Amino acid sequence: MSLIDPDDTTPLLRDDASSEDSQDEDYKSRWRSIRVMYFTMFLSSVGFTIVITSLWPYLQKVDSSADASFLGWMVAAYSLGQMVASPLFGLWSNHRPRRESLVCSIFINLAANIYYAYAYLPKTNNKYHMLMSRAFVGFGAGNVAVVRSYVAGATSLKERTGAMANMSACQALGFILGPALQACLSFIGENGVTVKFLDLQLNMYTTPALLAAAFGLVNILLVLLVLKEHCVNEDGKHIRSINYTSEERVDVLDECVETIDQAAVVTSNVLFFIVMFIFAVFETIATPLSMDMFAWTRKEAVLYNGIIMVGIGFQSILVFLAVKAAALKFGDRPVLLAGFFIIFCGFIVLLPWGNHFPKIQWADLKNNSLASQVSEGTLFSNGTVEPTGCPYEQTWCQYTPAIYLAQYISSDFLIGVGYPACNVMSYTLYSKILGPKPQGVYMGWLTASGSGARTLGPVFVSHVYTLLGPRWAFSLICGMVVMAVILLISAYHRLIAFSVRHGRIVE
């Protein structure tokens, strides 16, 4: 049974309030600040997804020596930076005003996006410049831990699931807008225009990163001008904390001596790791998989995958509506379990089958009349011929059946339902398990576990996919989902709210 008041019928992106609270200035200030955190999460999501579909073709353009395995490291660099930064920003936010860590992290993110836009400029080692820029973008994104801890600390237990769902909805909106903007900007083309006095090429690869930097500037202004520090107990009453700066009278919570269930904390981190690992695999492999299986060009892959991700993002918002209603009726843990089952179905659908095989690149080159007249380097440099299909270096292309477009879209749909449900339920449960104590460091570890997954996931899938193909890659993911379900069921009775565990609230 859910811990949320059964009379709570708050729509998504609207916040609970009693008639008395709605007149209270602290209440209004608290929710204005929470909405700034929603917007910060939204912009963080935009900043990541706005380049994700063009990452692979941009990498190929600036450095022809980069392969699909290096793409795994490119995607992982973002998460590795976030993994390192999250506990640090979380610790900082526990002892200093959150405005400091937020402004610092957003500025790092802004500068790193500009660095990414200039990654083509060095004469050599361009792929390593791209790698470093993505690592710094990820380091700046470590502020997700601060955002989550702020929202957890500034909401009552009754408000928590709704606020977390709202935050996830904002994240999903960013997930929509990022690929949509990338798809729109793809019409600028690979050459674009050059701003000579800045020595800057504005094309379909660099413009999205610069736009993300502009969003970062807007975010900094909002944090500086609107954000106030607030902390409430599980009943919604203000309590004093190092971050709370209001001079109004507050009710001080008696020192809480109850302990946090560390086994539940570890289990939640492991489950969140698996959820993020699975989605990291999905988002990393989408572009190379579609180029290999459907013989899409780089521009087509960016455009079509951008459109698909926009669809998944819209779908995710509907899922958050459903998750909020389902959590009210069935509770958080059953919704999490159902999400894992849907993800499992999504990857089962994606397994190759049938007698149709993917188009091989070497066949194009062998049969092309230009092949005897020009070198392979010329084919790439003049832009007139771009080999499409599955690279002949990937030997599995010759014996592994192709994945049909209908399979790909069906899998996208199922994963687009299961992932957001698992994501929001994972950290909603986690924040309830932690209770009223400061959550900055704990949320930092949760974000670090997710970042660790997004570091290892791309590396794992890029190597397994390149060497063994999609059948092995997706079968192993199915095995991970089964392990997550077993772990969730075994720890089911411990994944309960702090107040329920200590008898203050009856579940």
Side-chain angles (χ1 to χ4, degrees):
M1 180 178 177
S2 174
L3 301 179
I4 305 172
D5 188 340
D7 295 327
D8 176 20
T9 56
T10 307
L12 195 65
L13 295 179
R14 292 187 63 188
D15 309 308
D16 303 322
S18 68
S19 58
E20 182 179 354
D21 282 338
S22 64
Q23 303 302 317
D24 184 81
E25 183 57 36
D26 270 342
Y27 179 90
K28 293 177 182 178
S29 174
R30 177 164 66 95
W31 281 106
R32 278 197 299 268
S33 298
I34 289 172
R35 291 182 184 108
V36 171
M37 295 296 95
Y38 290 166
F39 191 66
T40 301
M41 184 67 83
F42 166 77
L43 291 182
S44 176
S45 182
V46 168
F48 176 71
T49 60
I50 200 170
V51 300
I52 194 66
T53 58
S54 64
L55 194 61
W56 174 233
Y58 185 37
L59 181 61
Q60 290 179 309
K61 181 180 173 66
V62 302
D63 198 326
S64 59
S65 67
D67 56 15
S69 295
F70 193 82
L71 173 66
W73 289 106
M74 278 287 298
V75 178
Y78 175 95
S79 302
L80 184 61
Q82 190 178 50
M83 181 176 67
V84 172
S86 295
L88 300 178
F89 285 131
L91 182 63
W92 187 354
S93 71
N94 269 6
H95 297 285
R96 294 289 301 170
R98 292 183 177 92
R99 185 182 289 109
E100 295 178 3
S101 55
L102 286 169
V103 170
C104 177
S105 60
I106 297 167
F107 179 79
I108 292 171
N109 192 289
L110 184 157
N113 273 302
I114 295 174
Y115 181 21
Y116 177 88
Y118 277 102
Y120 66 88
L121 202 57
K123 301 298 183 184
T124 59
N125 298 319
N126 301 81
K127 64 182 182 182
Y128 295 111
H129 287 285
M130 283 187 67
L131 185 73
M132 289 300 297
S133 68
R134 291 301 293 168
F136 282 117
V137 170
F139 192 91
N143 62 16
V144 170
V146 182
V147 172
R148 286 176 178 156
S149 67
Y150 183 94
V151 174
T155 53
S156 66
L157 198 62
K158 173 186 168 183
E159 298 166 330
R160 190 78 47 81
T161 298
M164 291 296 185
N166 294 349
M167 188 163 60
S168 294
C170 292
Q171 194 172 19
L173 284 171
F175 189 80
I176 294 169
L177 187 58
L181 289 171
Q182 173 67 89
C184 293
L185 294 170
S186 67
F187 292 102
I188 297 175
E190 290 193 328
N191 296 324
V193 296
T194 301
V195 182
K196 292 185 178 179
F197 76 97
L198 294 175
D199 205 6
L200 175 64
Q201 292 180 9
L202 293 176
N203 55 38
M204 61 185 283
Y205 304 127
T206 61
T207 307
L210 295 172
L211 190 57
F215 287 152
L217 183 60
V218 173
N219 199 1
I220 288 175
L221 293 175
L222 281 172
V223 169
L224 289 174
L225 299 176
V226 181
L227 182 69
K228 305 296 181 186
E229 303 287 350
H230 293 278
C231 188
V232 301
N233 65 12
E234 294 187 341
D235 296 321
K237 296 180 180 180
H238 273 109
I239 59 175
R240 293 189 185 277
S241 82
I242 188 86
N243 292 317
Y244 184 61
T245 56
S246 172
E247 296 180 359
E248 300 293 324
R249 184 186 65 81
V250 296
D251 295 317
V252 182
L253 188 69
D254 293 334
E255 184 176 359
C256 186
V257 296
E258 293 100 335
T259 58
I260 296 170
D261 186 346
Q262 297 297 331
V265 167
V266 172
T267 301
S268 298
N269 274 275
V270 172
L271 290 173
F272 191 68
F273 176 92
I274 294 173
V275 170
M276 298 307 295
F277 186 95
I278 290 166
F279 192 72
V281 167
F282 174 72
E283 68 185 1
T284 302
I285 207 61
T287 300
L289 178 69
S290 60
M291 291 174 71
D292 291 348
M293 293 295 163
F294 315 130
W296 288 348
T297 64
R298 291 194 295 261
K299 187 172 181 178
E300 288 172 339
V302 171
L303 176 61
Y304 298 153
N305 280 300
I307 292 170
I308 289 171
M309 286 195 174
V310 168
I312 292 174
F314 277 117
Q315 175 186 307
S316 296
I317 294 177
L318 299 177
V319 172
F320 292 128
L321 284 166
V323 161
K324 189 172 181 181
L328 283 168
K329 186 171 184 180
F330 303 108
D332 298 336
R333 293 170 295 177
V335 174
L336 179 58
L337 193 59
F340 275 119
F341 176 75
I342 295 171
I343 289 175
F344 179 81
C345 293
F347 279 99
I348 286 290
V349 167
L350 201 54
L351 290 174
W353 57 276
N355 297 317
H356 174 69
F357 294 90
K359 178 184 177 184
I360 309 297
Q361 276 188 22
W362 62 261
D364 280 348
L365 293 176
K366 182 178 179 180
N367 297 326
N368 195 317
S369 60
L370 293 176
S372 59
Q373 302 174 29
V374 295
S375 66
E376 182 180 348
T378 306
L379 291 175
F380 284 103
S381 63
N382 64 19
T384 58
V385 177
E386 179 185 338
T388 58
C390 205
Y392 69 91
E393 297 91 347
Q394 296 175 172
T395 55
W396 56 263
C397 296
Q398 301 172 42
Y399 58 80
T400 301
I403 293 171
Y404 295 90
L405 184 59
Q407 279 181 271
Y408 183 64
I409 294 175
S410 299
S411 176
D412 288 345
F413 173 80
L414 290 170
I415 294 170
V417 172
Y419 167 72
C422 289
N423 181 276
V424 68
M425 287 298 101
S426 293
Y427 61 76
T428 298
L429 273 171
Y430 188 69
S431 69
K432 291 179 178 179
I433 289 166
L434 297 178
K437 296 185 179 182
Q439 297 188 8
V441 174
Y442 278 104
M443 283 295 180
W445 288 119
L446 183 74
T447 305
S449 69
S451 300
R454 296 181 74 152
T455 301
L456 298 176
V459 176
F460 161 83
V461 72
S462 60
H463 282 79
V464 174
Y465 176 81
T466 301
L467 296 175
L468 302 175
R471 181 172 285 163
W472 272 96
F474 302 145
S475 295
L476 290 171
I477 293 300
C478 289
M480 285 193 67
V481 177
V482 171
M483 289 173 55
V485 170
I486 293 172
L487 177 62
L488 175 57
I489 292 173
S490 64
Y492 197 84
H493 65 288
R494 304 194 72 148
L495 300 177
I496 56 177
F498 185 91
S499 297
V500 172
R501 180 170 177 258
H502 293 286
R504 295 206 294 268
I505 295 177
V506 177
E507 186 175 16

